[in-house]
Amino acid sequence: MNSHLGYGFNQQQVEFFNTVIQKGEELMKRILTLFIVLIAVFCLAMPAAAAGKGVVKIKKGEPVHIAYWFVISGPNTSLGMDTVRGIEIAIEDFGKKIKGHPIKLTGEDTGCGPEGGQAAATKIASDPSVVAAIGSNCSSAAKPGVPILWAAGIPSVSPSNTAPYLTDPKRGDGYSGYLRTCHNDTVQGAVAAQFAKDVLKVTSAATIHDGSVYAEQLAQVFAANFKKMGGKITAQEAVSPGDTDMRPVLTSIATGKPGLIYYPIFIAEGGHITRQGKEVSGLEKTKMMGADGIFSPDFYKAAGEAAVGMYHTSPDFSAFPAAYKDFLKKHQEKYGKKPEAPFHAHSYDAAMMILKSIDKVGVAGKDGSLTIDRMKLRDAMYATKGFKGMTGTLNCDKYGDCADPRIAVYETNIDNIKKGEMPTMPIWKPYK
Amino acid sequence: MFQRWKESITPTDIVMWLIGGTLLLMVIWGSVATLVAGKYTGRHWIDFVIFGLAQGSIYALIATGYTMVYGVLRMINFAHGEVFMSGPYTAYFVAAAMYRSDFLDKHPFTALFVIFVVAMAISTMIAYFLEKIAYRPLRGAPRLIPLITAIGASFFLQYMFRGLYGSGFQAYPVIKIFEGAWVIFGIRILKFQLVVIVAAILLMAALYSFIMLTRAGKAIRAVSEDKEASSLMGINVDGMISTTFIIGGMAAGAAGVLYALMFKQVHFFMGFIPGIKAFTAAVLGGIGNIPGAMLGGIFLGLIESVGPSLFLDGLGIPAPYQLKDAIAFTMLVLVLIFRPMGIMGERLAAKKA
């Protein structure tokens, strides 16, 4: 039937095929147009990208805007507030003005996680008046946040991101506007492993991380170093943020009979592990060791007296220059208390570094305006050498690691818990 | 017979069974491999089970609140996790004051009684007003509206308590008589865990007998079966719904104190995760069914504690405890594939669906 149309199709079917072909052609045309437009946009965008990151022009009397993105809510609030105070003191010490312009400081909350980091960075990046950013506190927040800021031409200096990834040569271009004034965890993990092996004389250890970039990488560095020194890693466990019942995971770890558990995690989960470690059979004699993320009075609140006798790796305050004493005095006067977390001085240095770099590259116009070239600002920050900071002498390398890392080991005693204050003198340090 | 069975099967069923079968096989394979490897001794397994029972009985107590509200109102009260948080968080201030004045160490039982009363009173009050202010005006509204309101109420309560008490942690004082461990029949059990398990069982028994044996309980059951018919029979339906919230709030407040005894920390966000877990437990047991919720809670607690070691160690998966939530929810999927109404949901299916 209907053989005159060929292939045995009827009239209706052929019409249908024709419309399909027609529609297909229309679609192809549309796709082609879209493609051409995209190419045109790309070509236009290329020279703009090559020319740098643009400039910030600040009119006469208007402030120089610096933003921080820290964790200022949730269990790790003390970490964030501590660093905010560092910036505030730095701005006061700088004289509250850059080339006649006042300094404006605003902040966003990262919540110490990737989602919060992304949201905070996006908010800061959408404000064209922001010259530079300080943050984040947690490496998990920095990982998605830094590329967003740098895409908007905002360089960011972190006082407390310690994960090795962020200044790794393979980190990618999105991070080339990123620097940090704190140590890299390749140093902290090695110090912890050396202390465990040489001073505590333990031969086996277990690690616990919480899936965050910071904890996972630090636990990894510790394990690698400990193995290299001839120690045995019995387990590399992990918990999730928000977990409360750590007894099962600790029981599982206890089957390997480790001499030490290294858990470089955050306050809530760290507190549970510290308390519950004492209750699990097989871990009564196991030594407990945390890192700088839980070196805070809030951690003592969370862990209670179970924290007595545990060790922390953290920056060595006794190795800070003499100016640090003045800083502590100012802190006491301004806020009526001692610093609550380990990174206030690093934050002070981060802010000072940014302010001095702006001072260096900012061009004052005749009408009293100030023009800052974003790319030049970034280059000036990376060129920081021999900078006498609150944490020692800062020298930035080409990946943005600026710290003079001095990591020491602290031990908690009953007085620390009762007063809710961190120990001030380290019990051991790897250098003289 | 066989013909009819064959006709009632859809392709979806077959896919679901395949997924279920694969999961089940993995679970069995993992467990056998773990047991053969012999990394854990019998004592370890007993420890895991006790940890799971203690955690599970807290889930069970919270889950009863979800399930009872679902029974009478057919809505998920997502703010129940905050009802759970409000009691022990408020009672913390009482506990801390008693700790500072040494009252807690001298009269631990009186102190504990006071803590329980304060926590249960606050949680009950919050639950009562939650129903009265947020849910009652929406009684006639479509089902989605109270659900959204519940989520809003949950945020409101969370941040209200954050505003009241701050965003930091508070460490519950340690009650010294409950520290350490007892050895019963050669099994080492931490004192406070035994206290938690026993207290939870007593509370659940009391709650269940209230529902089954008293007049008010009978009325609640009647309301949950048919609101209109019960109001024709002279039952005060609104009153019974309030009673349900009050009982759920009391159970949540008590669960909160037990939680604080176990983990010794309170925080404004502490209700969120236990709330989600308890909701899961209620679904697992068959939502609307009280014994089902209790069973679901204990099952969930056990799976969380035993599961990672039992199922994943044998498969050679590193850091299994990070996956404990994944395991818990996989179990939920498994149960729902083979029993879509939950473990004990059959009677509900026949009567109310």
Side-chain angles (χ1 to χ4, degrees):
Chain A
M1 266 173 48
N2 290 327
S3 58
H4 61 280
L5 285 168
Y7 310 114
F9 294 121
N10 62 27
Q11 188 68 37
Q12 251 181 335
Q13 282 169 325
V14 168
E15 264 170 29
F16 173 73
F17 288 141
N18 279 341
T19 25
V20 168
I21 290 165
Q22 233 173 5
K23 279 200 176 153
E25 273 172 0
E26 264 168 42
L27 195 71
M28 280 302 289
K29 265 185 211 160
R30 270 189 203 173
I31 290 175
L32 214 71
T33 325
L34 192 72
F35 196 64
I36 290 166
V37 168
L38 274 178
I39 288 179
V41 168
F42 192 66
C43 288
L44 284 173
M46 278 299 279
K53 293 281 182 185
V55 295
V56 193
K57 194 161 179 192
I58 298 154
K59 286 191 200 126
K60 191 183 174 188
E62 280 186 3
V64 174
H65 187 179
I66 292 169
Y68 64 79
W69 46 310
F70 287 153
V71 44
I72 45 179
S73 73
N76 297 303
T77 306
S78 57
L79 180 61
M81 287 316 293
D82 192 53
T83 40
V84 172
R85 292 182 191 126
I87 302 175
E88 287 173 350
I89 294 178
I91 290 176
E92 270 179 23
D93 280 10
F94 194 79
K96 294 182 184 173
K97 270 180 190 262
I98 294 184
K99 296 193 166 169
H101 293 263
I103 300 165
K104 178 172 136 193
L105 181 71
T106 60
E108 294 293 338
D109 181 23
T110 64
C112 200
E115 300 86 2
Q118 190 166 8
T122 310
K123 259 184 162 171
I124 294 174
S126 67
D127 184 346
S129 74
V130 176
V131 178
I134 306 176
S136 63
N137 285 128
C138 304
S139 303
S140 313
K143 205 175 168 185
V146 167
I148 295 172
L149 289 175
W150 186 231
I154 300 168
S156 187
V157 186
S158 165
S160 70
N161 296 152
T162 57
Y165 172 83
L166 295 165
T167 54
D168 191 90
K170 280 182 261 168
R171 61 187 177 160
D173 285 342
Y175 297 88
S176 47
Y178 173 82
L179 304 95
R180 61 175 156 208
T181 54
C182 58
H183 53 274
N184 182 323
D185 275 343
T186 47
V187 180
Q188 183 169 202
V191 169
Q194 196 187 343
F195 175 74
K197 195 79 189 32
D198 297 350
V199 182
L200 296 178
K201 311 255 182 242
V202 295
T203 52
S204 60
T207 62
I208 306 176
H209 70 77
D210 62 359
S212 66
V213 186
Y214 156 74
E216 193 170 349
Q217 291 202 324
L218 183 48
Q220 201 61 43
V221 171
F222 171 84
N225 277 285
F226 195 68
K227 269 189 223 158
K228 220 190 289 163
M229 288 180 221
K232 190 177 158 229
I233 295 291
T234 60
Q236 284 180 283
E237 262 297 348
V239 295
S240 316
D243 275 1
T244 49
D245 197 4
M246 307 296 182
R247 295 174 188 102
V249 62
L250 288 166
T251 305
S252 172
I253 285 175
T255 58
K257 302 191 179 62
L260 173 124
I261 300 178
Y262 189 53
Y263 50 111
I265 55 176
F266 289 102
I267 290 171
E269 299 78 27
H272 286 307
I273 289 178
T274 311
R275 275 185 194 271
Q276 296 170 22
K278 306 260 163 180
E279 298 161 2
V280 169
S281 61
L283 292 181
E284 291 87 354
K285 291 209 171 103
T286 303
K287 297 191 166 69
M288 306 293 268
M289 187 164 173
D292 45 8
I294 48 176
F295 196 67
S296 149
D298 271 2
F299 168 72
Y300 285 163
K301 264 196 200 165
E305 287 181 15
V308 173
M310 78 172 283
Y311 304 99
H312 280 94
T313 46
S314 197
D316 182 1
F317 303 111
S318 66
F320 284 176
Y324 182 61
K325 285 219 174 76
D326 290 340
F327 175 91
L328 287 180
K329 225 164 88 193
K330 276 177 208 154
H331 196 287
Q332 186 72 38
E333 276 167 20
K334 196 163 157 65
Y335 306 106
K337 56 180 156 185
K338 286 183 183 170
E340 305 173 306
F343 293 106
H344 43 276
H346 300 83
S347 179
Y348 180 94
D349 282 358
M352 268 306 180
M353 210 170 99
I354 290 175
L355 295 176
K356 286 199 170 153
S357 301
I358 294 175
D359 198 40
K360 209 187 287 171
V361 301
V363 182
K366 281 180 190 145
D367 54 352
S369 69
L370 183 69
T371 309
I372 301 159
D373 187 295
R374 290 186 184 277
M375 199 65 198
K376 275 190 192 151
L377 175 63
R378 177 257 177 210
D379 291 343
M381 277 153 67
Y382 265 77
T384 303
K385 290 274 176 312
F387 176 87
K388 296 262 178 274
M390 201 58 79
T391 57
T393 308
L394 268 61
N395 290 298
C396 297
D397 70 7
K398 62 176 174 173
Y399 301 112
D401 256 331
C402 301
D404 171 20
R406 287 172 185 273
I407 304 296
V409 178
Y410 295 83
E411 184 178 1
T412 299
N413 61 36
I414 185 78
D415 269 359
N416 296 135
I417 305 282
K418 283 202 174 136
K419 286 187 196 150
E421 280 174 9
M422 306 313 295
T424 45
M425 285 308 286
I427 56 160
W428 181 81
K429 37 191 167 183
Y431 46 82
K432 287 209 176 99
Chain B
M1 175 73 198
F2 182 69
Q3 193 65 34
R4 239 178 59 205
W5 185 70
K6 217 170 128 190
E7 272 166 13
S8 69
I9 292 176
T10 62
T12 326
D13 284 338
I14 297 174
V15 173
M16 289 316 253
W17 284 341
L18 276 177
I19 296 174
T22 322
L23 286 175
L24 205 64
L25 263 179
M26 271 174 70
V27 164
I28 295 170
W29 182 27
S31 316
V32 171
T34 308
L35 292 175
V36 168
K39 179 178 163 193
Y40 302 101
T41 61
R43 224 188 63 204
H44 291 131
W45 290 120
I46 292 170
D47 278 352
F48 283 138
V49 169
I50 292 171
F51 298 150
L53 279 178
Q55 175 77 69
S57 49
I58 291 175
Y59 289 157
L61 270 178
I62 311 171
T64 50
Y66 276 103
T67 226
M68 284 195 307
V69 168
Y70 186 85
V72 292
L73 284 182
R74 298 285 180 282
M75 74 167 268
I76 310 289
N77 177 14
F78 274 114
H80 196 59
E82 277 55 56
V83 173
F84 161 80
M85 169 272 290
S86 62
Y89 204 172
T90 311
Y92 158 77
F93 295 97
V94 180
M98 289 194 294
Y99 180 67
R100 276 196 296 273
S101 65
D102 273 347
F103 184 78
L104 192 75
D105 287 336
K106 279 179 196 146
H107 310 279
F109 289 103
T110 325
L112 201 61
F113 179 75
V114 173
I115 293 173
F116 260 104
V117 168
V118 171
M120 284 163 84
I122 296 290
S123 284
T124 308
M125 203 180 78
I126 296 274
Y128 176 75
F129 284 110
L130 181 70
E131 193 268 333
K132 206 136 205 183
I133 295 167
Y135 302 150
R136 186 166 296 182
L138 301 168
R139 193 60 45 78
R143 285 173 85 171
L144 209 55
I145 291 171
L147 190 79
I148 304 292
T149 311
I151 295 173
S154 162
F155 282 130
F156 173 78
L157 287 172
Q158 258 170 31
Y159 288 91
M160 185 178 93
F161 278 91
R162 179 184 155 176
L164 282 175
Y165 302 149
S167 66
F169 279 92
Q170 302 295 349
Y172 243 74
V174 172
I175 298 176
K176 290 219 171 67
I177 48 161
F178 294 148
E179 287 304 292
W182 281 310
V183 179
I184 302 162
F185 304 121
I187 296 167
R188 178 180 166 275
I189 178 165
L190 295 168
K191 285 182 189 172
F192 62 81
Q193 279 184 325
L194 192 68
V195 171
V196 167
I197 295 172
V198 170
I201 289 173
L202 287 178
L203 282 164
M204 281 190 274
L207 195 143
Y208 191 62
S209 44
F210 175 81
I211 295 289
M212 297 313 283
L213 303 178
T214 62
R215 260 181 93 80
K218 204 174 192 176
I220 288 176
R221 278 184 290 142
V223 170
S224 82
E225 261 180 41
D226 194 329
K227 274 202 215 52
E228 276 158 33
S230 6
S231 92
L232 288 177
M233 292 297 132
I235 295 172
N236 178 358
V237 173
D238 274 346
M240 282 310 126
I241 291 172
S242 282
T243 315
T244 311
F245 272 85
I246 287 171
I247 296 167
M250 278 166 81
V257 176
L258 297 180
Y259 181 92
L261 272 183
M262 241 172 74
F263 300 118
K264 300 171 184 86
Q265 262 183 28
V266 283
H267 183 230
F268 79 94
F269 209 60
M270 68 183 258
F272 181 70
I273 288 173
I276 296 282
K277 295 282 171 65
F279 169 60
T280 312
V283 175
L284 200 65
I287 191 145
N289 185 312
I290 294 172
M294 296 172 181
L295 199 75
I298 288 172
F299 180 76
L300 194 71
L302 279 177
I303 286 291
E304 276 189 356
S305 164
V306 180
S309 295
L310 184 63
F311 307 148
L312 295 185
D313 249 10
L315 297 175
I317 291 171
Y321 274 93
Q322 207 181 13
L323 296 173
K324 80 173 193 198
D325 292 349
I327 291 177
F329 289 108
T330 309
M331 282 294 146
L332 177 72
V333 170
L334 254 183
V335 168
L336 294 185
I337 284 176
F338 292 109
R339 288 192 67 86
M341 284 318 221
I343 299 174
M344 299 185 77
E346 208 166 37
R347 274 173 37 221
L348 173 94
K351 264 192 233 160
K352 294 171 192 164

